[in-house]
PDB file of all heavy atoms in Angstrom:
ATOM      1  N   CYS Z1235     -11.551 169.814 136.668  1.00 94.00           N
ATOM      2  CA  CYS Z1235     -10.348 170.633 136.820  1.00 94.00           C
ATOM      3  C   CYS Z1235     -10.021 170.741 138.298  1.00 94.00           C
ATOM      4  O   CYS Z1235     -10.849 171.208 139.085  1.00 94.00           O
ATOM      5  CB  CYS Z1235     -10.558 172.021 136.223  1.00 94.00           C
ATOM      6  SG  CYS Z1235      -9.135 173.109 136.507  1.00 94.00           S
ATOM      7  N   SER Z1237      -8.197 172.662 139.709  1.00 87.00           N
ATOM      8  CA  SER Z1237      -8.028 174.045 140.154  1.00 87.00           C
ATOM      9  C   SER Z1237      -9.375 174.759 140.284  1.00 87.00           C
ATOM     10  O   SER Z1237      -9.752 175.191 141.351  1.00 87.00           O
ATOM     11  CB  SER Z1237      -7.108 174.785 139.175  1.00 87.00           C
ATOM     12  OG  SER Z1237      -7.059 176.159 139.485  1.00 87.00           O
ATOM     13  N   CYS Z1238     -10.115 174.877 139.182  1.00 89.00           N
ATOM     14  CA  CYS Z1238     -11.358 175.660 139.227  1.00 89.00           C
ATOM     15  C   CYS Z1238     -12.606 174.802 139.362  1.00 89.00           C
ATOM     16  O   CYS Z1238     -13.709 175.323 139.417  1.00 89.00           O
ATOM     17  CB  CYS Z1238     -11.467 176.544 137.981  1.00 89.00           C
ATOM     18  SG  CYS Z1238     -11.827 175.631 136.461  1.00 89.00           S
ATOM     19  N   CYS Z1277      -7.923 172.375 133.398  1.00 94.00           N
ATOM     20  CA  CYS Z1277      -8.582 172.845 132.188  1.00 94.00           C
ATOM     21  C   CYS Z1277      -7.633 173.804 131.475  1.00 94.00           C
ATOM     22  O   CYS Z1277      -6.681 174.303 132.076  1.00 94.00           O
ATOM     23  CB  CYS Z1277      -9.910 173.515 132.514  1.00 94.00           C
ATOM     24  SG  CYS Z1277      -9.769 175.130 133.280  1.00 94.00           S
ATOM     25  N   CYS Z1280      -7.028 177.125 133.306  1.00 89.00           N
ATOM     26  CA  CYS Z1280      -6.186 177.051 134.505  1.00 89.00           C
ATOM     27  C   CYS Z1280      -4.750 176.659 134.161  1.00 89.00           C
ATOM     28  O   CYS Z1280      -3.812 177.011 134.880  1.00 89.00           O
ATOM     29  CB  CYS Z1280      -6.763 176.061 135.505  1.00 89.00           C
ATOM     30  SG  CYS Z1280      -8.297 176.666 136.269  1.00 89.00           S
TER      31      CYS Z1280
HETATM   32 ZN1   ZN Y  20      -9.839 175.015 135.631  1.00 73.92          ZN
END
Side-chain angles (χ1 to χ4, degrees):
Chain Z
C1235 176
S1237 173
C1238 72
C1277 73
C1280 290

